[in-house]
């Protein structure tokens, strides 16, 4: 069984503080989706930064897409993230004064392997972006608008298209539905997971909203301080 994630005895602490993250064992098969639930400030976003290679792993096993993150330097981690992962940030991190299509195409502009994968699967990166936009309910009429003119929900869909471009194997999402009302949260999440599944991508998403958990193959509930 190929694993998207394998965490074991993973510990992370900020200098002079008690461990923020302590995970004994967690595995996610490739193609499955993991929901990480916990209150704000508990360390969920820090865990995502370890998985994405933004932060260096301090102690324990952290294997992502078959790579031991402790053995990779910062350049290698950046390359792995750029070539094989898609990240949906809580604040989206879109470039505000270029249009939605240009934002979505950024991974394929920066990483030739993502462009090649998009071309192989869809004929060109532009065709993949258009297909994903349609799947995620983003109107073609909005495609040429600067993203600062779009609603929060529309920006969210652009961020999701960008993350899915070029057939990444792992999607990492940090509270991507926090700005939406309950109905729109579920609608967006279902579209995201269905689209990721169609590409064979694993999804790791963190949220404090337990209502979303039943959409996922696995749920990891962040331990309370008392339990820890």
């Amino acid at each position: 069984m190929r694993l998207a994630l394998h965490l074991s005895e993973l510990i992370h602490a900020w200098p002079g503080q008690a461990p923020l993250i302590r995970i004994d064992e967690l595995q996610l098969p490739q193609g499955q989706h993991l929901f990480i639930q916990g209150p704000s400030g508990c360390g969920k976003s820090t865990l995502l930064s370890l998985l994405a290679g933004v932060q260096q792993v301090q102690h324990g096993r952290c294997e992502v897409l078959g790579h031991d993150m402790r053995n990779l330097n910062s350049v290698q981690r950046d390359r792995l993230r750029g070539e094989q992962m898609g990240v949906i940030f809580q604040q989206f991190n879109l470039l505000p004064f270029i249009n939605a299509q240009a934002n979505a195409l950024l991974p394929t502009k920066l990483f030739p392997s993502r462009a090649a994968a998009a071309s192989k699967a869809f004929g060109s990166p532009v065709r993949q972006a258009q297909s994903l936009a349609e799947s995620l309910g983003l109107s073609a009429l909005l495609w040429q608008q600067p993203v600062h003119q779009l609603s929060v929900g529309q920006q969210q869909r652009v961020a999701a298209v960008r993350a899915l471009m070029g057939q990444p194997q792992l999607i990492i999402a940090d509270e991507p539905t926090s700005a939406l009302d309950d109905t729109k949260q579920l609608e967006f999440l279902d579209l995201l997971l269905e689209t990721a599944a169609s590409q064979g991508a694993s999804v790791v998403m963190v949220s404090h909203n337990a209502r979303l958990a039943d959409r996922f193959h696995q749920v990891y509930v962040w331990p309370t301080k008392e339990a820890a």
Side-chain angles (χ1 to χ4, degrees):
M1 177 180 63
R2 187 181 176 205
L3 296 177
L5 300 179
H6 186 188
L7 312 181
S8 180
E9 304 295 332
L10 181 66
I11 298 174
H12 186 86
W14 299 116
Q17 298 184 26
L20 181 65
I21 295 170
R22 189 187 295 272
I23 297 176
D24 294 332
E25 184 75 19
L26 181 61
Q27 296 185 17
L28 180 68
Q30 182 61 39
Q32 289 197 6
H33 305 151
L34 170 67
F35 182 82
I36 301 176
Q37 177 191 337
S40 298
C42 70
K44 304 186 304 297
S45 293
T46 301
L47 175 59
L48 292 191
S49 74
L50 295 175
L51 301 181
V54 177
Q55 296 280 345
Q56 176 68 58
V57 175
Q58 297 173 345
H59 177 80
R61 171 186 284 183
C62 181
E63 292 184 4
V64 181
L65 300 175
H67 298 269
D68 186 340
M69 302 301 277
R70 291 190 72 186
N71 293 337
L72 302 183
N73 61 36
S74 60
V75 172
Q76 291 169 326
R77 296 197 307 270
D78 288 347
R79 184 180 300 116
L80 176 63
R81 181 173 61 255
E83 292 182 345
Q84 299 188 44
M85 302 183 202
V87 181
I88 305 176
F89 301 94
Q90 187 171 354
Q91 302 301 324
F92 310 146
N93 288 12
L94 300 171
L95 299 182
F97 296 106
I98 62 175
N99 64 31
Q101 178 175 285
N103 267 282
L105 290 171
L106 281 174
T108 60
K109 297 292 186 182
L110 295 172
F111 298 97
S113 61
R114 297 278 282 264
S119 296
K120 181 178 180 180
F122 291 86
S124 73
V126 170
R127 288 182 180 176
Q128 183 183 22
Q130 292 170 341
S131 175
L132 288 170
E134 182 178 352
S135 297
L136 289 167
L138 188 64
S139 168
L141 297 175
L142 304 173
W143 209 223
Q144 301 304 321
Q145 291 190 25
V147 292
H148 75 275
Q149 296 179 1
L150 304 182
S151 71
V152 170
Q154 291 162 350
Q155 291 183 35
Q156 185 180 56
R157 283 164 166 75
V158 174
V161 172
R162 181 182 63 185
L164 289 159
M165 285 295 300
Q167 313 297 91
Q169 298 179 55
L170 176 63
I171 305 298
I172 293 175
D174 188 359
E175 298 273 11
T177 64
S178 59
L180 300 178
D181 63 36
D182 289 349
T183 300
K184 291 186 181 297
Q185 282 184 357
L186 294 175
E187 175 187 285
F188 171 78
L189 183 58
D190 287 343
L191 288 169
L192 173 65
L193 295 178
E194 289 168 9
T195 305
S198 72
Q199 297 188 177
S202 296
V203 176
V204 177
M205 177 178 137
V206 302
S207 177
H208 63 275
N209 188 349
R211 292 179 63 251
L212 307 178
D214 63 359
R215 264 61 176 178
F216 291 76
H217 298 104
Q218 290 190 42
V219 177
Y220 178 85
V221 179
W222 205 269
T224 62
K225 291 184 179 179
E226 291 77 12

